[in-house]
Amino acid sequence: MINRLCIIGVGLIGGSLARALRANDAVGEIVGCSRSAEHLQQAVELGVIDRFDTDPAAAVAGADMVLVAVPMGAMETVFRQIKPRLAAAAVITDVGSAKGAVVDAAQKAFGGVPANLVPGHPIAGTERSGVAASFAELFQQRRVILTPLAHTDAEAVDRVRGMWETAGAEVVEMGVEHHDRVLAATSHLPHILAYATVDSLARLHEHDEIFQYAAGGFRDFTRIAGSDPVMWRDICLANREAILEMIAHFQVDLTALTEAIQARDGERLVEIFSRAKRARDEHAPR
Amino acid sequence: MINRLCIIGVGLIGGSLARALRANDAVGEIVGCSRSAEHLQQAVELGVIDRFDTDPAAAVAGADMVLVAVPMGAMETVFRQIKPRLAAAAVITDVGSAKGAVVDAAQKAFGGVPANLVPGHPIAGTERSGVAASFAELFQQRRVILTPLAHTDAEAVDRVRGMWETAGAEVVEMGVEHHDRVLAATSHLPHILAYATVDSLARLHEHDEIFQYAAGGFRDFTRIAGSDPVMWRDICLANREAILEMIAHFQVDLTALTEAIQARDGERLVEIFSRAKRARDEHAPR
C-alpha cells in the first residue's frame, strides 16, 4: 500500500499507473506535478490525481513513493528539484527508456545514486501521449524492467516491484547496460527506422500520392512514427551508444539484402526472408 | 456479370475475389487452377471455387474472365501455358505487385502484350496467405490500380474495373512505371526494412531474450516480416530498379538521422521526427 504517491509527469504512463493503482485500492493520495497547470487540472478532472503542485519540491513533500515519468532530458533537473524535500523513507523510481542515462542523471543531481532510487522501465505504451490517453489496463500482461544497482536498497526494489505488479505487470530485473542494449534493439531501432521511412517518403516529389496508396501493412509499419518527437529525441541522446551500435548492425543486414537484390540472387533473398519470417512467427505471434 | 471466371492461383487474393463476386451474384461459374490439387480441393470445400483443373490451359477454356494471381516469378510461365486455349473474347487480368515485370512477361509469352490483357494490382492483403485466409470483404474500401497500355482495349478495362468495383474496391488507373515507383515506396521498401530488422535482431547473441522484450510497437512494425518469402523474392526481382532506388533514397535519410544522433544534435532530431510525425498523422490516420 502506498500512502501518498507523487507522480512527476502525468502523461500516458504516469496517468495509467495512477488509474491502475486507484482501481486496485492500492494508494491513498495521488499528487501530480508537471510544468502545465492546465494539464494537471485536466488530470484532476479525469480522476487520475487528487491534487497537484507545479513545483516538484512541494509536490514530493510527504510522499512515500515518487514516480518520475518525465522525458529523459528532464530527469536530472527533476532530481535536483525534488532533492531538498524528499522524505528520508521515500522510494523513488522512474520510467525512462534508457537506464544508463537515468543513473548518470541521478549521480549528478544527488552526488551519487541514492539507495532508495530504483531505476525502472515499463515496456508498455502506445504512439499516443498525454493523460487523456491513459487507461488502467495499460500495464496488464506487460513487462516492467527494474535495473537496481549493487547498493540499491532491497526493500525499495520490493516496493516498486509490488506497485507494478498491482498494476498487472510482470516485473523482471536486469543490469543497466543490458537493458539499454535490449531496448535499443527492440524499441529504439524500430522507431528510428519508422521515422526515417516516413521522412524519406515525405521527401519524394509525389509524396501526397504515395501516402494515398499506402495500405494496411504500411500503416502498421509506420504507426510508431506518430510518437512524440521530443520524447524520442531524448531517448536517442540518452541511449546514443547502444542505438548507434544497433543501427550499424542493421546496416550490415540491409546492405546484404540490397546486394542480393542488385545481384538478382533469388536464393539468398528467400533465405533471408525465411529466416526473418521464422524469427518473427516464433517470437512475436499475431 | 462474368459467365465463367478462371482464377489461376487460388490464394488470399484470388480466393477473396471469388468470395466477393459470389456474394454479389456477379459470377456464373468459378474454375480454379494451381499446382496443388490438394489446395484446390480445399478451395472447393470452402465454397470458393466450383471446380478445378491443375492444367492452366484446360482451366481457362471457355472462361470469359481470367484472373492470374500467381507469384510474379510464375507469370510468364502461366501466360505461355494459357495462351493456346484462351477464348478470343476472354479478358485477362493479374494482381502482380510490379506491373513493368508483368508487361515484360506478357510481351515474351504472347509475343506482344494482348489488347485484352489489363494489368492490375489490388492494394490489399494481409501478411497471411493461402485460400483459408481469404474473405469476401478484403477489397472493401481498398484501391485497385489498373495500368492499361496505350493499345489496351477500353472495353476490357471496363470489365476488369467493374469486377473490382463489385468486390467493393475503388479502381484507379495509372502508368506502369509510376505504379512501380509508388509501390516501391509504400509497400516494397517497408517490407524489406521489416525483414532486415527482424533478421538483424535474430543475429544478435541474445536474440531470444531480445524478442521476449519486444512490445506492441515492435510487433506492428515487424508484422509484414511474416509475409511469404517466395512472393517477396519475386517482388524484389520484378521491381528491382524502383526498389533499389527507394532503398538508396531511404539510406540518405537514415544516414542523416544517424549523423544527428552521433553529433548529439537534438534540434535536428526533433525537426526530423516532427516532420515524419506530421506526414504520418496527416496521411495515415490511426
Side-chain angles (χ1 to χ4, degrees):
Chain A
M1 180 74 190
I2 298 164
N3 290 318
R4 185 184 293 172
L5 170 66
C6 174
I7 298 177
I8 304 183
V10 188
L12 172 68
I13 299 292
S16 294
L17 180 63
R19 288 181 190 269
L21 295 177
R22 184 91 81 191
N24 286 284
D25 281 327
V27 62
E29 187 184 37
I30 304 180
V31 182
C33 175
S34 83
R35 285 176 309 184
S36 159
E38 197 185 321
H39 286 168
L40 290 166
Q41 186 55 45
Q42 187 191 9
V44 170
E45 282 157 19
L46 290 168
V48 171
I49 56 175
D50 296 302
R51 60 183 178 85
F52 65 84
D53 203 305
T54 54
D55 172 21
V60 297
D64 56 331
M65 177 70 77
V66 177
L67 180 85
V68 182
V70 299
M72 292 294 312
M75 288 280 177
E76 188 184 332
T77 304
V78 167
F79 286 155
R80 283 187 196 282
Q81 288 168 325
I82 63 177
K83 186 181 171 188
R85 299 283 296 273
L86 266 178
V91 171
I92 318 155
T93 189
D94 76 296
V95 301
S97 300
K99 303 323 303 173
V102 170
V103 168
D104 285 350
Q107 184 80 37
K108 286 181 193 157
F110 295 106
V113 183
N116 57 346
L117 169 64
V118 183
H121 181 205
I123 313 296
T126 73
E127 75 285 7
R128 309 193 186 196
S129 46
V131 69
S134 68
F135 56 103
E137 299 77 21
L138 178 59
F139 306 109
Q140 276 175 20
Q141 294 175 307
R142 299 293 178 173
R143 287 201 176 82
V144 172
I145 302 175
L146 303 183
T147 62
L149 305 183
H151 71 277
T152 306
D153 182 52
E155 205 182 311
V157 175
D158 281 348
R159 291 200 60 200
V160 174
R161 172 186 285 271
M163 176 177 77
W164 285 113
E165 285 176 349
T166 300
E170 181 195 337
V171 178
V172 295
E173 291 178 32
M174 63 173 74
V176 167
E177 274 183 41
H178 189 59
H179 166 279
D180 286 358
R181 189 173 147 83
V182 167
L183 268 288
T186 54
S187 171
H188 308 170
L189 175 68
H191 275 81
I192 286 163
L193 296 178
Y195 275 128
T197 303
V198 176
D199 196 40
S200 183
L201 301 198
R203 276 203 306 121
L204 290 171
H205 174 64
E206 62 274 53
H207 56 88
D208 276 345
E209 190 192 359
I210 277 181
F211 283 106
Q212 197 180 330
Y213 290 101
F218 181 81
R219 275 196 292 274
D220 281 351
F221 181 79
T222 59
R223 179 163 295 123
I224 51 181
S227 303
D228 180 45
V230 170
M231 180 176 136
W232 280 93
R233 171 200 65 193
D234 285 3
I235 291 173
C236 286
L237 299 178
N239 202 21
R240 182 172 164 275
E241 271 149 66
I243 288 173
L244 289 173
E245 188 197 323
M246 287 303 160
I247 293 175
H249 188 78
F250 166 79
Q251 285 283 14
V252 172
D253 292 80
L254 180 58
T255 301
L257 234 171
T258 307
E259 284 171 357
I261 297 171
Q262 269 161 345
R264 297 187 172 83
D265 187 344
E267 208 172 308
R268 180 99 183 87
L269 289 174
V270 169
E271 188 191 312
I272 296 171
F273 293 164
S274 301
R275 201 168 51 203
K277 178 176 167 57
R278 263 198 311 278
R280 204 226 157 256
D281 289 351
E282 187 181 336
H283 293 289
R286 286 155 187 151
Chain B
M1 180 72 191
I2 298 163
N3 289 319
R4 185 185 291 170
L5 170 66
C6 174
I7 298 177
I8 304 182
V10 189
L12 173 68
I13 299 293
S16 294
L17 180 63
R19 287 180 190 271
L21 295 177
R22 183 91 80 192
N24 287 283
D25 280 328
V27 61
E29 187 184 38
I30 304 180
V31 181
C33 175
S34 82
R35 285 178 307 184
S36 159
E38 196 186 324
H39 287 168
L40 291 165
Q41 186 55 46
Q42 187 190 11
V44 171
E45 281 157 19
L46 290 168
V48 171
I49 57 175
D50 296 304
R51 60 182 177 86
F52 65 86
D53 203 306
T54 54
D55 172 21
V60 298
D64 55 332
M65 177 71 77
V66 176
L67 180 85
V68 182
V70 299
M72 292 295 311
M75 289 280 177
E76 187 183 333
T77 304
V78 167
F79 286 154
R80 284 187 195 281
Q81 288 169 325
I82 63 177
K83 186 181 171 190
R85 300 284 295 275
L86 266 178
V91 170
I92 318 155
T93 188
D94 77 295
V95 301
S97 300
K99 303 325 300 175
V102 170
V103 168
D104 285 351
Q107 184 80 38
K108 285 181 192 157
F110 295 105
V113 182
N116 57 347
L117 169 64
V118 183
H121 181 205
I123 312 296
T126 72
E127 77 284 7
R128 310 196 185 194
S129 47
V131 69
S134 67
F135 56 104
E137 298 75 22
L138 178 59
F139 306 109
Q140 276 177 20
Q141 294 173 308
R142 299 294 178 173
R143 286 200 176 81
V144 172
I145 303 175
L146 304 182
T147 62
L149 305 183
H151 71 278
T152 305
D153 182 50
E155 205 182 310
V157 175
D158 281 348
R159 291 199 59 200
V160 174
R161 173 186 285 272
M163 176 177 77
W164 286 113
E165 286 176 350
T166 301
E170 182 194 339
V171 177
V172 295
E173 290 178 31
M174 63 173 75
V176 167
E177 275 183 39
H178 189 59
H179 166 279
D180 285 359
R181 190 173 145 83
V182 167
L183 266 289
T186 54
S187 172
H188 308 170
L189 176 67
H191 275 81
I192 286 163
L193 296 179
Y195 276 127
T197 304
V198 176
D199 196 38
S200 183
L201 301 198
R203 275 204 307 120
L204 290 171
H205 173 64
E206 62 274 54
H207 56 89
D208 277 343
E209 191 192 0
I210 278 181
F211 283 106
Q212 196 181 332
Y213 290 101
F218 181 82
R219 275 195 292 273
D220 281 350
F221 181 80
T222 59
R223 179 162 295 124
I224 50 182
S227 303
D228 180 44
V230 169
M231 181 176 135
W232 280 94
R233 171 199 65 194
D234 285 3
I235 290 173
C236 286
L237 299 178
N239 202 21
R240 181 172 164 276
E241 271 149 65
I243 288 173
L244 290 173
E245 190 197 322
M246 286 303 158
I247 293 175
H249 189 78
F250 166 79
Q251 285 283 16
V252 172
D253 292 80
L254 180 57
T255 301
L257 233 170
T258 307
E259 284 170 357
I261 296 172
Q262 268 160 347
R264 297 187 172 82
D265 188 343
E267 210 172 306
R268 182 98 183 89
L269 289 174
V270 169
E271 187 190 312
I272 296 171
F273 293 163
S274 301
R275 200 167 54 202
K277 178 177 168 57
R278 266 198 309 280
R280 204 224 158 254
D281 289 351
E282 186 180 334
H283 292 289
R286 284 156 188 153

